[in-house]
Amino acid sequence: MSPSSHPSPLALKGGTHALCTCGLSKNGPFCDGSHQGSGQAPRILKLDTDQTVFLCNCGASANKPFCDGSHQRQSA
Ligand code: FES
């Protein structure tokens, strides 16, 4: 398994965040509106408190943009 298949931690402040699910954003993991016309939409994440979330880097998660542990099954 390459290091890039491991999930990336992302520290977020409490509040509302729009995370890119289309892969077209030029603003890292955050939606920048580039999905317009793609039929996809950002994942809206509402956090009550500051938290660290883990983003999928392997492409196999069924819960994108979040890691669901699928990268572990790929290396088995
Ligand atoms: Fe990717 Fe908005 S730019 S979901």
Side-chain angles (χ1 to χ4, degrees), residues 19-25 30-35 40-43:
L19 299 177
C20 177
T21 61
C22 73
L24 300 174
S25 176
F30 302 103
C31 174
D32 68 356
S34 296
H35 65 272
Q40 299 195 46
R43 179 78 171 263

Side-chain angles (χ1 to χ4, degrees), residues 47-59:
L47 300 176
D48 293 332
T49 60
D50 296 358
Q51 291 182 33
T52 297
V53 299
F54 291 86
L55 303 179
C56 174
N57 275 329
C58 74

